[in-house]
Amino acid sequence: MPYVHDTLERLKKSSPAQTEFYQAAEEVLECLRPLFERSPHYHDHSIIERIVEPERQIMFRICWTDDAGKVQVNKGYRVQFNSALGPYKGGLRFHPSVTSGIIKFLGFEQIFKNALTGLPIGGGKGGSDFDPKGKSDGEIMRFCQSFMTELYRHIGPTTDVPAGDIGVGAREIGYLYGQYKRLTGRYEGVLTGKGLDWGGSIGRKEATGYGAVYFAQNMLQARGESIEGKTCLVSGAGNVAIYTIEKLYELGATPITCSDSRGTIHDPRGIDLDLLKELKEVKRASLEEYLANHPEASYIPANDYPADGHAVWRIPADVAFPCATQNELTDGDAETLLGNGVTCISEGANMPSTAAAVDRFLDAKIAYGPGKAANAGGVATSQLEMAQNSSMQQWPLEKVDAKLKEIMANIHQQCADTAEEFGEPTNLVLGANIAGFRKVADTMIDQGVV
Ligand code: NDP
């Protein structure tokens, strides 16, 4: 279809060298072909040309002073991608790999993810190439204050509400919030993922991981199976991975792996969750230290990974949860997972599987939940935090968790129904992309050319 092809070609010329953004755009637009055949009016309204172009992109310099008194400089970004459905909503990522292309891919995915939640939130994303690893609390605080000194003028509780992502957890959100309050004099719900004593939602920290497990449970139930008793692979050892592991235990499954950028732990009796929390949430230590308490587990350093992939995915199991970062699951990994009999994959991370890996999963017709559907529980609960802030309430965990469960079941149902409608009942990638896109595109048409 020339419409999709031409738009992608134009994108590559107008936004050069944004590889991850093209990957995300191509995946979505290719899935939309059958929709455009049925509904040519999207072409008349130039919807895809409009949807691939952010409404606004902010790039700024962040200067801060390290503990040695040296001035450091980083780049900051906020991409306000699409506000058809509500205020821009999406996390901030602090990681040395961050570029404008990475932030654009994440912001683009966020539009459709947020639409799938059924909640009134638009899509945005931001971050910096700042590396929090090895920095003191004082350095992190000074960096966050400097970051917010520029960002505060572009955000607000009804315009743009950032949250956390890789490298941005409770500590960073605290420093960012403190500086916003100092600059504006306002105590308001401008960030989500806040501390529970100062406007945070109970259950937000756990929501992305819990949601990814609920999504797997929904996919398995639709096939007459259950997560109970399953052996599971989890990658990552951050916020999403930890609470994926917690929910898996709660539902009677056994998570046997976790990983960080330096290596992978394989503990066949099940990952020691308390120890993992202690190492990562309190001590911010390397996973290798896990062995001091569990010498019977094995540690595979990143240097020993297979040349074409990641050690986690080479370990036999039933279900896989990629929860670290983009493109962490390659074609070779996908082949091994399928060869080992994995029947369900639920993505806690954003775009963790390469395009070739996704094709393999779809061809094999296994239960495959793409990130924009499977990890939407985080942003959904962020929106619940916004709702609590604006009504000056704090809901109990039971209420938040029940809503999260219901939202994940609805997202799964929408994806499955849309996949069925377009004649590919097992293809939840197609279902997620068309269902999310239709909601945003129809709203853009309703709101006119803006
Ligand atoms: P964290 O920073 O808490 O954890 C990230 C984990 O992934 C760490 O264990 C980190 O290891 C590992 N990791 C990061 N980059 C790499 C890499 N290049 N290679 C190997 N390991 C890596 O982030 P989150 O858990 O919040 O986010 C994980 C994923 O989930 C991301 O894709 C994020 O976009 C997505 N997501 C997060 C949401 C949230 O609510 N937090 C919501 C929806 C999606 P190390 O510490 O050694 O770097």
Side-chain angles (χ1 to χ4, degrees):
M1 173 176 280
Y3 183 33
V4 167
H5 176 265
D6 294 351
T7 307
L8 286 168
E9 284 309 302
R10 264 201 310 276
L11 201 63
K12 286 180 187 168
K13 286 206 181 99
S14 67
S15 307
Q18 300 192 332
T19 321
E20 290 82 4
F21 176 49
Y22 310 144
Q23 184 184 340
E26 198 158 350
E27 186 221 87
V28 172
L29 298 193
E30 290 296 339
C31 281
L32 298 176
R33 285 174 190 270
L35 177 68
F36 295 143
E37 273 159 26
R38 278 192 204 179
S39 313
H41 71 291
Y42 290 123
H43 189 183
D44 302 335
H45 287 275
S46 298
I47 289 295
I48 62 170
E49 295 91 320
R50 288 156 67 188
I51 222 165
V52 297
E53 200 56 55
E55 291 174 14
R56 195 172 299 103
Q57 300 184 68
I58 300 140
M59 267 181 78
F60 51 98
R61 185 185 69 177
I62 306 144
C63 304
W64 55 283
T65 309
D66 68 18
D67 287 345
K70 171 101 177 60
V71 176
Q72 300 287 342
V73 184
N74 287 97
K75 277 184 193 291
Y77 305 89
R78 185 71 185 166
V79 176
Q80 298 180 331
F81 226 118
N82 192 295
S83 61
L85 295 179
Y88 308 105
K89 185 87 197 83
L92 298 172
R93 176 177 291 191
F94 293 168
H95 194 271
S97 63
V98 164
T99 59
S100 59
I102 295 271
I103 299 298
K104 267 176 80 176
F105 119 64
L106 290 164
F108 186 70
E109 290 282 289
Q110 198 82 44
I111 304 171
F112 308 104
K113 179 191 309 197
N114 293 4
L116 286 171
T117 65
L119 300 168
I121 37 180
K125 199 81 190 187
S128 171
D129 59 355
F130 172 74
D131 187 358
K133 252 187 233 134
K135 303 287 190 301
S136 69
D137 279 357
E139 289 175 323
I140 301 272
M141 182 180 75
R142 290 192 295 279
F143 172 80
C144 288
Q145 290 176 340
S146 192
F147 185 87
M148 186 52 87
T149 300
E150 173 58 33
L151 188 68
Y152 87 97
R153 65 189 89 240
H154 308 290
I155 61 176
T158 56
T159 51
D160 184 353
V161 186
D165 190 81
I166 291 180
V168 180
R171 174 181 57 171
E172 291 74 18
I173 293 289
Y175 295 146
L176 290 164
Y177 191 72
Q179 182 72 351
Y180 178 86
K181 191 162 59 70
R182 174 158 76 176
L183 291 167
T184 62
R186 289 196 297 270
Y187 205 106
E188 56 193 10
V190 70
L191 294 169
T192 56
K194 298 186 291 299
L196 297 186
D197 292 334
W198 43 278
S201 173
I202 295 171
R204 169 61 188 94
K205 181 174 68 171
E206 295 84 353
T208 309
Y210 281 17
V213 178
Y214 288 144
F215 198 85
Q217 195 184 30
N218 285 307
M219 290 194 290
L220 288 166
Q221 275 167 359
R223 291 166 181 245
E225 289 180 59
S226 157
I227 191 87
E228 198 181 340
K230 295 279 193 295
T231 302
C232 302
L233 305 176
V234 179
S235 66
N239 171 266
V240 179
I242 289 173
Y243 293 97
T244 294
I245 289 173
E246 183 163 285
K247 185 53 83 178
L248 284 171
Y249 278 127
E250 247 178 77
L251 298 184
T254 309
I256 57 167
T257 61
C258 58
S259 66
D260 62 18
S261 49
R262 282 174 279 189
T264 293
I265 287 288
H266 176 207
D267 191 341
R269 296 172 317 164
I271 292 293
D272 180 340
L273 180 60
D274 291 337
L275 176 61
L276 178 63
K277 285 186 180 178
E278 169 76 16
L279 289 177
K280 289 296 178 184
E281 294 187 330
V282 183
K283 291 168 73 182
R284 301 181 194 276
S286 161
L287 271 184
E288 199 170 0
E289 291 190 24
Y290 188 96
L291 294 183
N293 291 57
H294 293 288
E296 71 290 354
S298 41
Y299 179 73
I300 309 151
N303 290 341
D304 295 349
Y305 287 179
D308 61 341
H310 194 297
V312 168
W313 314 126
R314 306 301 167 109
I315 295 163
D318 306 311
V319 182
F321 293 87
C323 296
T325 193
Q326 65 273 358
N327 293 327
E328 55 160 316
L329 195 164
T330 64
D331 192 27
D333 292 329
E335 191 180 9
T336 310
L337 283 168
L338 293 171
N340 284 341
V342 162
T343 56
C344 175
I345 294 171
S346 184
E347 294 183 340
N350 283 309
M351 208 170 73
S353 307
T354 62
V358 174
D359 286 345
R360 260 187 211 277
F361 297 144
L362 295 178
D363 287 347
K365 297 193 186 319
I366 61 162
Y368 169 64
K372 70 168 69 68
N375 71 35
V379 73
T381 310
S382 273
Q383 200 280 341
L384 302 181
E385 184 172 327
M386 290 163 71
Q388 292 169 73
N389 289 164
S390 62
S391 60
M392 298 207 164
Q393 290 180 351
Q394 190 172 55
W395 301 345
L397 179 62
E398 297 68 38
K399 179 168 174 176
V400 177
D401 196 41
K403 279 190 180 288
L404 171 65
K405 209 169 171 177
E406 189 188 325
I407 290 168
M408 296 314 296
N410 284 340
I411 294 175
H412 175 262
Q413 201 56 52
Q414 273 181 80
C415 296
D417 289 350
T418 311
E420 176 94 43
E421 181 190 336
F422 284 84
E424 292 196 44
T426 58
N427 188 341
L428 299 184
V429 177
L430 181 106
N433 285 327
I434 293 185
F437 173 86
R438 240 188 333 207
K439 206 169 280 179
V440 181
D442 292 347
T443 306
M444 287 170 72
I445 293 170
D446 289 348
Q447 293 177 355
V449 181
V450 287

